[in-house]
Amino acid sequence: MSFNTFGQMFRVTTWGESHGPALGATVDGCPPGVPLSEADIQPWMERRRPGQSRYTTQRQEADAVEILSGVYEGQTTGTPIQLLIRNTDQRSKDYSDIAASFRPGHADITYFQKYGLRDPRGGGRSSARETAARVAAGAVARAALAALVPGLRVRGYLVQVGPHGIDRAAFDDAQIDANPFFCPDAAAAAAWAAYLDGLRKSGDSVGAVIEVVATGVPTGLGAPIYGKLDGDLAAAMMSINAVKGVEIGAGMAAAALTGTENADEITMGAEGPEYASNHAGGVLGGISTGQPVVVRFAVKPTSSILRPRRTVTLAGTDAEIITKGRHDPCVGIRAVPVGEAMMACVLLDAALRHRGQVGDGPRGHIPVSTPGPAPTQE
Amino acid sequence: MSFNTFGQMFRVTTWGESHGPALGATVDGCPPGVPLSEADIQPWMERRRPGQSRYTTQRQEADAVEILSGVYEGQTTGTPIQLLIRNTDQRSKDYSDIAASFRPGHADITYFQKYGLRDPRGGGRSSARETAARVAAGAVARAALAALVPGLRVRGYLVQVGPHGIDRAAFDDAQIDANPFFCPDAAAAAAWAAYLDGLRKSGDSVGAVIEVVATGVPTGLGAPIYGKLDGDLAAAMMSINAVKGVEIGAGMAAAALTGTENADEITMGAEGPEYASNHAGGVLGGISTGQPVVVRFAVKPTSSILRPRRTVTLAGTDAEIITKGRHDPCVGIRAVPVGEAMMACVLLDAALRHRGQVGDGPRGHIPVSTPGPAPTQE
Amino acid sequence: MSFNTFGQMFRVTTWGESHGPALGATVDGCPPGVPLSEADIQPWMERRRPGQSRYTTQRQEADAVEILSGVYEGQTTGTPIQLLIRNTDQRSKDYSDIAASFRPGHADITYFQKYGLRDPRGGGRSSARETAARVAAGAVARAALAALVPGLRVRGYLVQVGPHGIDRAAFDDAQIDANPFFCPDAAAAAAWAAYLDGLRKSGDSVGAVIEVVATGVPTGLGAPIYGKLDGDLAAAMMSINAVKGVEIGAGMAAAALTGTENADEITMGAEGPEYASNHAGGVLGGISTGQPVVVRFAVKPTSSILRPRRTVTLAGTDAEIITKGRHDPCVGIRAVPVGEAMMACVLLDAALRHRGQVGDGPRGHIPVSTPGPAPTQE
Amino acid sequence: MSFNTFGQMFRVTTWGESHGPALGATVDGCPPGVPLSEADIQPWMERRRPGQSRYTTQRQEADAVEILSGVYEGQTTGTPIQLLIRNTDQRSKDYSDIAASFRPGHADITYFQKYGLRDPRGGGRSSARETAARVAAGAVARAALAALVPGLRVRGYLVQVGPHGIDRAAFDDAQIDANPFFCPDAAAAAAWAAYLDGLRKSGDSVGAVIEVVATGVPTGLGAPIYGKLDGDLAAAMMSINAVKGVEIGAGMAAAALTGTENADEITMGAEGPEYASNHAGGVLGGISTGQPVVVRFAVKPTSSILRPRRTVTLAGTDAEIITKGRHDPCVGIRAVPVGEAMMACVLLDAALRHRGQVGDGPRGHIPVSTPGPAPTQE
């Protein structure tokens, strides 16, 4: 990762501002021969698109992706894929009021301090709008993974909104797309709706926790020491706007476990090693175990709120600020497809790097033996 | 980050196995003219060195660092600095018993699955011994930061061992080096000692949470979008052995905050903007605010324990395993200087990159005005 | 350099095919605050634009560059600059005839062998049309250099067409833009016109040698060992279509020199060291000396010619091929602005990297002393 | 390539100075399971080792390589390979005389201007001694290539010393190791011996041209546009000390060819396409054709000579300088194994990158048909 590019072999560079004419992603290193068209990308854009419920910003964007290069006759060519998304509903006037002050908790002050420039139009490059380009790139990664690693599936959902978590016992995969929160627990979704309606009316916002799970991940992806799969995932998720924490498997709670509890015991199954638990989140020593890869990340509340906060102006005076405009009361909701996209990109990149260094598939094979008596080893 | 290298301008490549003849770090991109000798590095090695209390592994290593290149007459030359650390107490026989089985929760199974090779000697490259090289590199980064950013200070400590956290109200900086846990709370340190003695006798291990804080960080470090300071920190910390979660500022708890609560309100102080709180952990939009940069990470318990766990053998049979040898009951303790080293490396790299793109210092200046009446802005 | 990206801090990724809807460059890492608009870019595009004389392809392209991001109110923001160039005169029918055969000397066979795909439309990604994106990026680099290194000037010209070289004694800077060949020698230009007219009528093509010189380059740019200025220049120039050789300073002829002849003797001048000659081409040990940086590269003749050549078909049969269409009889002519653009990009990248590692300006200063008697040193 | 690292997947970082305690190479990304020991490396070191004839420096170095990591039980593990070479015959006193002056044509002035430091001991990092580390890394690359691409062979030789070239008609592969010049033409070798004896006695030095050829290279290596095989080779060869020009295939002479002459005509052979010539040097569009990959590079004469040259001192006064010490009268001779090593590293890196993006082997297959009548295509 550097500047606006992530990935080593599957390299994604995003570009564009919230209120410029367009934004997009330059995707390099994609394998050739992958079937791809705009129709493969658009459904993923739809999941992230704003304005679809009262819980997200009311900005209306078609988020139509144009493929400008790298695809010929419905297949990737192996050369760079340019994905262009036109901005159509940028209302810069919305932001004219706040041009003179910085929003507490917002990046506008640090962009100014770093670059000496002030682009008040919707946060410019720091806007969550940038994540549209990630979703487009993630759709390309999904298409390539479908060809390279059939059976791999990436799935994200919300597990917490504000202080309200889901009930893991009520987890229902079918619920995820049945409510505006990507929530796998129907009761929690109903509670969140009421909670967010209240927040929205009060002009406030709130954070959330997203979980993204990849199943069907082959063993062997990721590489020591600074190419670890979990290191790449941490960087990828932390790079999403407003993310303040990333967890793999047991996450921060691993600190409270004993070695006895944390060890994911292994037994031989019909097709290879099986794990009794997944505290590891599918990654050991930075390399995938074949178990589901489980990542969680926390998104802070939107800093653009209708409640007055103390701040300073460009001129160096104290002020109070209220941010009008069209903002997400819980930007974490739309972070679900973004987290999925980052997972897909990271896994494809790891798969290509593994294939490059080691060749196709994992090299070390543990044979499935006829189970005999279990000797105690010391 | 890629393979065994991290950093873009200040680039650290670590190499070497736990039980090979030596390990080390190749440090490239260091500014020239930085005063540096082995004596600047050794104190930091001492803080991480094993065998200093009964709470860490009893392996005895001098961890003496030899500078083989890149320093001439006491100054860095701007060319690669090779830092060599000889292994002197590797007892490979300790590991001969476990050569045939995989330790649950340990990377030996994934290294085997990825590379097709089995190096049972202390985990080979996946051993926590690799972190000695990071500490050596971190000492170089500290020396360079001392020259470039006077006043910058990096400090780590333990805030949780197993389920037992510190009392923030009892935080005492002077305590950190006064107990074997880098614990800023004297009472917590005493409690941890008793707790870990019990665990050690039972042959078990436990996790921990480390917090690393950098003060005196200038504004403007870090860059959008995939070069964010917090993204780099997340990758850096997650790359440390056994880390399962990384938090910046409020971290995972940010999810439960409202926008009103989370906003770090700003007022003009005598020398520039001042923040009423630091939920952001010193980073907004991936760029440093000038507040303390606050990172926490959770280390899982050591997987090498004396308590029997179910596993499988290389031959594909079920087995039970007990890992004898010299292991850390709480490897999180020695992760404190490692986390500090990673923080120092990441900050130096960000400072050099900022200087490269933007020039010395931040560009955007908020003048210190005479405070007038505070107008409400909308 | 990797895949479709070059540069470390000033990073240019080009994308797009000869006959797709558009092509362009994603430019990352540009310093903020650089004055930039389309009007700063277009003049450089004009110099490379096809169809301006009978010696280049008759394809008509406006080569109008749209800046889609990274510029706000006439200044670069420090975030990615997307430069979009629409293709308007792609006539795919021109190429339908040759879809079944490979052109000898053309990349269509290797792209097919690598990727398994055949995009006969004007060479797809391998077309010289890709160089339009380089020129656009180079214009951005020039704008940044103008701000960072006032007085730096990059100038390219043709020194040889086919077997016909210029007369160095007749070198006239003012001639370069006065003929369709960027030729500094008026007599040579006239001879080339006649020579190329004959070639064009016979349906043949020919190669050329381009020289690019940068003056006003500060000392200290470039870094050991794999970041040498001449190494970066060699890679940059060799990456241009059809280039088969790159020389710095004396170039291949350096092999025939003795050490006595090759040493560029140094004396103290009024403002610092002065060199009696420039066999080094402005680079010693990969680092700029302050003398003019001199690069030459040879472009082979266009492979698309009207004269029959033996080849093979996709089906594996022998064939003869004649390539109709609109081709450059001497593609080397249009390589002049491309070489200039690459020089500008490489120098800016080196300047930013130097500033990152070492800080502004060179560090080692040789004082201008009052010349005394010259002692013989041994 | 950046700073002291080259390669994307097979990454080599060299470190160390001419007169420090040691130098070496950190090799990352090597495939696992490659048989490797010091005995595989040492023969290549011998070819480059100084002091073997009166035509190279008389410095005596064993150049014994120690493998400190990344190899276990005779096989590479896939983790970093540290290659250490001790310096044993560094005589710093040799250089004390020249500490106060800069050698014309030598990098000592630019290192000083860049870094503000003066390491007069044998050129420090800029010494040709650095190339020992390249040869060691190249031996690792050769071992990996032997496993991945059986039949690939890399071979270098001298084709010109000073103004005296070989007679291509007299080319005899068996001669290359039969004389101290790696010269394939016995008569030329004899002439060079006489020529160099004269030069040496006069205290002068001279340049040379080296050619490196790789046969058995599969089709499809290299990638557009800034990952071209010839671009990587140009950077790799230009990074070798004292190299001033790099050519692929026809090289600079391609400028004088017509398209008709330059086209390497293709016919179907028993095993696939066959080329009537190889002006392309085995690379089209940056991708290997399967023909021999042919690179030439020119090495300038050693700048350390016994003949007086005008220069300046650190104090800014004019001076004359004679460089005593042990220098190569024709450093180009020892560049032969260095060029071979760079070729091996670049090809392995390209092979791993190709495998990563595209999978094993080339994708596009041209079937071997029964030759029919050759239709004229237009």
Side-chain angles (χ1 to χ4, degrees):
Chain A
M1 303 226 310
S2 69
F3 288 111
N4 294 276
T5 299
F6 70 96
Q8 301 286 324
M9 291 215 67
F10 182 77
R11 300 164 66 85
V12 176
T13 304
T14 69
W15 55 271
E17 289 87 41
S18 173
H19 284 56
L23 55 90
T26 310
V27 177
D28 202 2
C30 185
V34 173
L36 186 73
S37 73
E38 278 93 349
D40 296 310
I41 299 173
Q42 216 56 44
W44 305 108
M45 303 303 291
E46 286 300 305
R47 298 186 74 215
R48 196 211 69 98
R49 197 160 61 80
Q52 302 193 94
S53 82
R54 65 182 181 273
Y55 307 107
T56 59
T57 171
Q58 293 307 301
R59 179 169 171 171
Q60 294 294 332
E61 288 288 355
D63 280 355
V65 176
E66 291 173 62
I67 299 175
L68 293 185
S69 66
V71 175
Y72 180 61
E73 298 187 340
Q75 287 193 312
T76 59
T77 60
T79 60
I81 302 168
Q82 183 59 259
L83 303 167
L84 181 87
I85 305 165
R86 294 271 168 198
N87 286 324
T88 56
D89 189 26
Q90 65 273 42
R91 300 186 202 158
S92 286
K93 63 179 154 54
D94 284 348
Y95 295 94
S96 53
D97 304 349
I98 57 167
S101 294
F102 300 104
R103 280 165 281 180
H106 194 279
D108 52 13
I109 190 168
T110 49
Y111 270 68
F112 173 71
Q113 287 172 321
K114 182 179 188 75
Y115 296 122
L117 296 164
R118 184 91 173 89
D119 176 358
R121 304 165 306 155
R125 182 77 184 135
S126 74
S127 165
R129 182 132 187 80
E130 183 269 344
T131 60
R134 302 180 189 228
V135 173
V140 176
R142 284 181 188 265
L145 283 168
L148 263 76
V149 193
L152 188 148
R153 181 173 179 264
V154 173
R155 185 72 156 144
Y157 40 87
L158 233 60
V159 296
Q160 185 183 326
V161 167
H164 308 293
I166 63 165
D167 176 4
R168 292 269 172 183
F171 194 106
D172 177 2
D173 195 86
Q175 279 297 317
I176 296 173
D177 291 332
N179 59 68
F181 307 109
F182 303 107
C183 176
D185 169 357
W192 294 351
Y195 172 69
L196 288 174
D197 280 333
L199 264 182
R200 195 166 48 85
K201 283 170 193 159
S202 72
D204 214 337
S205 64
V206 79
V209 177
I210 292 92
E211 186 167 283
V212 180
V213 178
T215 52
V217 177
T219 63
L221 303 194
I225 296 290
Y226 306 107
K228 285 179 174 172
L229 186 57
D230 38 6
D232 284 356
L233 286 169
M237 299 307 170
M238 194 64 92
S239 77
I240 300 173
N241 305 51
V243 172
K244 301 306 287 184
V246 179
E247 301 186 316
I248 308 288
M252 298 303 292
L257 299 176
T258 62
T260 306
E261 291 162 347
N262 184 64
D264 299 316
E265 291 189 301
I266 318 173
T267 52
M268 280 307 292
E271 294 177 2
E274 291 181 356
Y275 293 83
S277 52
N278 190 15
H279 293 101
V283 186
L284 285 173
I287 301 170
S288 61
T289 63
Q291 286 194 282
V293 173
V294 180
V295 180
R296 269 182 313 285
F297 57 95
V299 173
K300 71 177 184 183
T302 318
S303 54
S304 299
I305 52 177
L306 284 166
R307 297 168 69 100
R309 299 275 79 194
R310 285 181 299 157
T311 190
V312 296
T313 66
L314 265 169
T317 56
D318 288 314
E320 255 193 1
I321 191 164
I322 287 171
T323 313
K324 293 182 180 173
R326 302 160 298 173
H327 302 290
D328 290 279
C330 180
V331 75
I333 299 170
R334 294 201 291 138
V336 169
V338 181
E340 290 177 342
M342 297 309 283
M343 172 73 90
C345 290
V346 167
L347 289 175
L348 175 60
D349 188 40
L352 297 179
R353 279 192 270 167
H354 177 78
R355 181 163 76 173
Q357 190 190 11
V358 180
D360 275 308
R363 288 177 74 99
H365 180 62
I366 303 169
V368 179
S369 305
T370 312
T376 296
Q377 286 232 339
E378 306 188 12
Chain B
M1 303 223 312
S2 69
F3 288 111
N4 294 276
T5 299
F6 70 95
Q8 301 286 322
M9 290 216 67
F10 183 75
R11 301 164 66 85
V12 176
T13 304
T14 69
W15 54 271
E17 288 87 40
S18 171
H19 284 56
L23 56 90
T26 311
V27 176
D28 202 3
C30 185
V34 174
L36 186 73
S37 73
E38 278 92 350
D40 297 309
I41 300 174
Q42 216 55 43
W44 304 109
M45 302 303 292
E46 286 301 305
R47 298 186 74 216
R48 196 212 69 99
R49 199 161 59 81
Q52 302 192 96
S53 83
R54 66 184 182 273
Y55 307 107
T56 60
T57 171
Q58 293 307 300
R59 179 170 172 171
Q60 294 295 331
E61 289 287 355
D63 281 354
V65 175
E66 292 172 62
I67 298 175
L68 293 184
S69 66
V71 175
Y72 180 62
E73 297 186 341
Q75 286 193 312
T76 59
T77 59
T79 60
I81 302 168
Q82 182 59 256
L83 304 167
L84 182 87
I85 306 164
R86 294 272 168 199
N87 286 323
T88 56
D89 189 27
Q90 65 273 45
R91 302 188 200 156
S92 286
K93 64 179 157 49
D94 283 349
Y95 295 93
S96 54
D97 303 349
I98 57 166
S101 294
F102 300 104
R103 278 166 283 177
H106 194 278
D108 54 10
I109 191 167
T110 49
Y111 270 68
F112 173 71
Q113 287 172 321
K114 181 178 189 74
Y115 295 123
L117 297 164
R118 185 92 173 89
D119 176 357
R121 304 166 306 156
R125 182 76 182 136
S126 74
S127 165
R129 182 135 186 77
E130 183 268 343
T131 60
R134 302 180 190 229
V135 173
V140 176
R142 284 181 188 266
L145 283 168
L148 262 74
V149 193
L152 189 149
R153 181 172 179 262
V154 173
R155 186 73 156 141
Y157 41 86
L158 233 59
V159 295
Q160 185 183 326
V161 166
H164 307 294
I166 62 165
D167 175 4
R168 292 269 171 183
F171 195 106
D172 178 1
D173 195 86
Q175 278 295 317
I176 295 173
D177 290 331
N179 58 67
F181 307 110
F182 304 107
C183 178
D185 168 358
W192 293 351
Y195 172 70
L196 287 174
D197 281 334
L199 262 183
R200 195 167 48 84
K201 283 170 193 158
S202 73
D204 214 338
S205 63
V206 78
V209 177
I210 293 90
E211 187 166 281
V212 181
V213 177
T215 51
V217 177
T219 63
L221 303 194
I225 296 290
Y226 305 107
K228 286 178 174 171
L229 186 58
D230 40 4
D232 284 356
L233 286 169
M237 300 307 171
M238 193 65 91
S239 77
I240 301 173
N241 304 51
V243 173
K244 302 305 287 185
V246 180
E247 300 186 316
I248 308 289
M252 298 304 291
L257 298 176
T258 63
T260 306
E261 293 162 347
N262 185 66
D264 299 317
E265 290 189 299
I266 319 174
T267 51
M268 280 309 292
E271 294 178 2
E274 291 181 358
Y275 293 83
S277 51
N278 190 13
H279 293 101
V283 186
L284 285 174
I287 300 169
S288 61
T289 62
Q291 285 195 281
V293 174
V294 181
V295 180
R296 273 183 309 286
F297 57 94
V299 173
K300 71 177 183 181
T302 318
S303 55
S304 299
I305 52 176
L306 284 166
R307 297 169 67 100
R309 299 276 78 194
R310 285 181 300 158
T311 190
V312 297
T313 67
L314 263 170
T317 57
D318 288 316
E320 256 192 1
I321 192 164
I322 286 171
T323 311
K324 294 182 180 173
R326 303 161 298 175
H327 302 291
D328 289 279
C330 179
V331 76
I333 300 169
R334 293 201 291 136
V336 170
V338 181
E340 290 177 341
M342 297 309 282
M343 173 73 91
C345 291
V346 167
L347 289 176
L348 176 59
D349 188 39
L352 297 179
R353 279 192 270 166
H354 177 78
R355 182 163 74 172
Q357 190 190 9
V358 179
D360 275 308
R363 287 176 76 96
H365 180 61
I366 301 169
V368 180
S369 304
T370 313
T376 297
Q377 285 232 340
E378 305 192 11
Chain C
M1 304 226 311
S2 69
F3 289 110
N4 293 276
T5 300
F6 70 94
Q8 302 286 323
M9 292 216 66
F10 182 77
R11 300 163 66 84
V12 176
T13 304
T14 69
W15 55 271
E17 288 87 41
S18 171
H19 283 56
L23 55 90
T26 310
V27 176
D28 203 2
C30 185
V34 174
L36 187 71
S37 73
E38 277 92 350
D40 296 310
I41 300 174
Q42 215 56 44
W44 306 108
M45 302 303 292
E46 287 300 305
R47 298 186 74 215
R48 196 212 69 98
R49 198 160 61 82
Q52 300 192 98
S53 82
R54 66 183 181 272
Y55 307 107
T56 60
T57 171
Q58 293 307 300
R59 180 170 172 171
Q60 293 295 330
E61 290 286 356
D63 281 355
V65 176
E66 292 172 62
I67 299 175
L68 293 186
S69 66
V71 175
Y72 180 62
E73 298 186 339
Q75 285 193 312
T76 59
T77 61
T79 60
I81 302 168
Q82 183 59 257
L83 303 168
L84 181 87
I85 306 164
R86 295 272 169 198
N87 287 323
T88 56
D89 189 27
Q90 66 273 44
R91 302 186 200 157
S92 286
K93 62 180 157 52
D94 284 348
Y95 294 95
S96 54
D97 304 348
I98 57 168
S101 294
F102 301 104
R103 278 166 281 177
H106 193 277
D108 53 11
I109 191 167
T110 50
Y111 270 66
F112 173 72
Q113 287 172 321
K114 182 178 188 75
Y115 295 122
L117 297 163
R118 185 88 174 92
D119 176 357
R121 303 166 307 156
R125 181 78 183 135
S126 74
S127 165
R129 181 130 187 80
E130 183 270 341
T131 60
R134 303 180 189 229
V135 173
V140 176
R142 283 179 188 266
L145 284 168
L148 262 76
V149 193
L152 190 148
R153 180 172 180 264
V154 173
R155 186 70 155 145
Y157 40 85
L158 233 60
V159 295
Q160 185 183 326
V161 166
H164 308 293
I166 63 165
D167 175 4
R168 293 268 171 183
F171 195 106
D172 178 2
D173 195 85
Q175 279 296 316
I176 295 173
D177 290 330
N179 60 67
F181 308 108
F182 305 107
C183 177
D185 169 357
W192 295 351
Y195 173 69
L196 286 174
D197 281 333
L199 264 183
R200 196 166 47 84
K201 283 171 193 159
S202 72
D204 214 337
S205 63
V206 79
V209 176
I210 293 92
E211 186 167 281
V212 181
V213 177
T215 51
V217 177
T219 63
L221 303 194
I225 296 288
Y226 306 109
K228 285 178 175 171
L229 186 58
D230 39 5
D232 284 357
L233 286 170
M237 299 307 170
M238 195 64 93
S239 77
I240 300 173
N241 304 50
V243 172
K244 301 307 288 183
V246 180
E247 301 186 314
I248 308 288
M252 299 303 292
L257 298 176
T258 63
T260 306
E261 293 162 345
N262 184 65
D264 299 316
E265 291 188 299
I266 319 175
T267 52
M268 279 309 290
E271 295 177 3
E274 291 180 357
Y275 293 84
S277 52
N278 189 14
H279 294 100
V283 186
L284 284 174
I287 300 170
S288 60
T289 62
Q291 284 195 282
V293 174
V294 180
V295 180
R296 270 182 311 286
F297 57 94
V299 173
K300 70 178 183 182
T302 319
S303 54
S304 300
I305 51 177
L306 283 166
R307 297 168 68 100
R309 298 276 80 195
R310 285 180 299 156
T311 190
V312 297
T313 66
L314 265 168
T317 56
D318 288 316
E320 255 192 2
I321 192 164
I322 287 172
T323 311
K324 294 181 179 174
R326 302 161 298 174
H327 301 290
D328 289 279
C330 180
V331 76
I333 300 170
R334 293 202 292 138
V336 170
V338 180
E340 290 177 341
M342 298 309 284
M343 173 72 90
C345 290
V346 167
L347 289 175
L348 175 60
D349 188 40
L352 297 179
R353 281 192 268 164
H354 177 78
R355 182 164 75 172
Q357 189 189 10
V358 179
D360 274 307
R363 288 176 75 98
H365 180 64
I366 302 169
V368 179
S369 304
T370 312
T376 296
Q377 284 232 341
E378 305 191 11
Chain D
M1 304 224 313
S2 68
F3 289 111
N4 294 276
T5 299
F6 69 96
Q8 301 286 325
M9 293 216 64
F10 182 77
R11 300 164 67 84
V12 176
T13 305
T14 69
W15 55 271
E17 288 86 42
S18 172
H19 284 56
L23 56 91
T26 310
V27 177
D28 202 1
C30 185
V34 173
L36 187 72
S37 73
E38 278 92 349
D40 296 310
I41 300 174
Q42 215 55 45
W44 304 109
M45 302 303 292
E46 286 301 306
R47 299 185 74 215
R48 196 211 70 97
R49 197 160 61 79
Q52 300 191 95
S53 83
R54 67 183 180 275
Y55 307 107
T56 60
T57 170
Q58 294 306 301
R59 179 170 170 170
Q60 293 295 330
E61 289 288 353
D63 280 354
V65 176
E66 292 173 62
I67 300 175
L68 292 185
S69 66
V71 175
Y72 181 60
E73 297 186 341
Q75 286 193 312
T76 58
T77 60
T79 60
I81 302 168
Q82 182 59 257
L83 304 167
L84 182 87
I85 305 164
R86 294 273 168 198
N87 286 324
T88 57
D89 189 27
Q90 65 272 46
R91 300 188 202 157
S92 287
K93 62 177 158 50
D94 284 348
Y95 295 94
S96 53
D97 305 347
I98 57 167
S101 294
F102 301 104
R103 280 165 280 178
H106 193 278
D108 52 12
I109 191 169
T110 50
Y111 271 66
F112 173 71
Q113 288 172 320
K114 181 179 190 73
Y115 295 123
L117 297 163
R118 184 90 172 91
D119 175 359
R121 304 166 305 155
R125 182 74 183 137
S126 75
S127 165
R129 181 130 188 80
E130 183 269 343
T131 61
R134 303 181 189 228
V135 173
V140 176
R142 284 180 187 267
L145 283 168
L148 263 75
V149 193
L152 189 149
R153 180 171 180 265
V154 173
R155 187 71 156 144
Y157 41 86
L158 233 60
V159 295
Q160 186 183 326
V161 166
H164 307 293
I166 62 165
D167 175 2
R168 292 270 172 182
F171 195 105
D172 177 1
D173 196 87
Q175 279 296 317
I176 295 172
D177 291 331
N179 60 67
F181 308 108
F182 305 107
C183 176
D185 169 358
W192 294 350
Y195 173 69
L196 287 174
D197 281 333
L199 264 182
R200 196 167 47 85
K201 282 169 193 159
S202 72
D204 213 336
S205 63
V206 79
V209 177
I210 293 92
E211 185 167 280
V212 181
V213 177
T215 52
V217 177
T219 63
L221 303 194
I225 296 287
Y226 306 108
K228 286 178 174 171
L229 186 58
D230 38 5
D232 285 356
L233 286 169
M237 300 308 170
M238 194 65 91
S239 77
I240 300 173
N241 305 49
V243 172
K244 302 306 287 185
V246 180
E247 300 187 315
I248 308 288
M252 298 303 291
L257 299 176
T258 62
T260 306
E261 291 162 347
N262 185 64
D264 299 316
E265 291 189 300
I266 318 174
T267 52
M268 281 307 292
E271 294 176 4
E274 291 181 355
Y275 293 83
S277 52
N278 189 14
H279 294 99
V283 186
L284 285 174
I287 301 170
S288 61
T289 62
Q291 285 194 281
V293 174
V294 181
V295 180
R296 271 183 311 285
F297 57 94
V299 173
K300 71 178 184 182
T302 318
S303 54
S304 300
I305 52 176
L306 284 165
R307 296 167 70 99
R309 299 277 80 194
R310 284 181 299 157
T311 189
V312 296
T313 66
L314 265 169
T317 55
D318 287 314
E320 254 193 3
I321 192 164
I322 287 171
T323 313
K324 293 181 179 174
R326 302 161 298 174
H327 301 290
D328 289 279
C330 180
V331 76
I333 300 169
R334 293 201 293 136
V336 170
V338 181
E340 290 177 342
M342 296 310 282
M343 172 73 90
C345 290
V346 167
L347 289 175
L348 175 60
D349 188 40
L352 297 179
R353 280 192 270 167
H354 177 78
R355 181 163 76 171
Q357 190 190 10
V358 179
D360 275 308
R363 287 175 75 97
H365 180 63
I366 302 170
V368 179
S369 304
T370 313
T376 295
Q377 285 232 340
E378 305 191 10

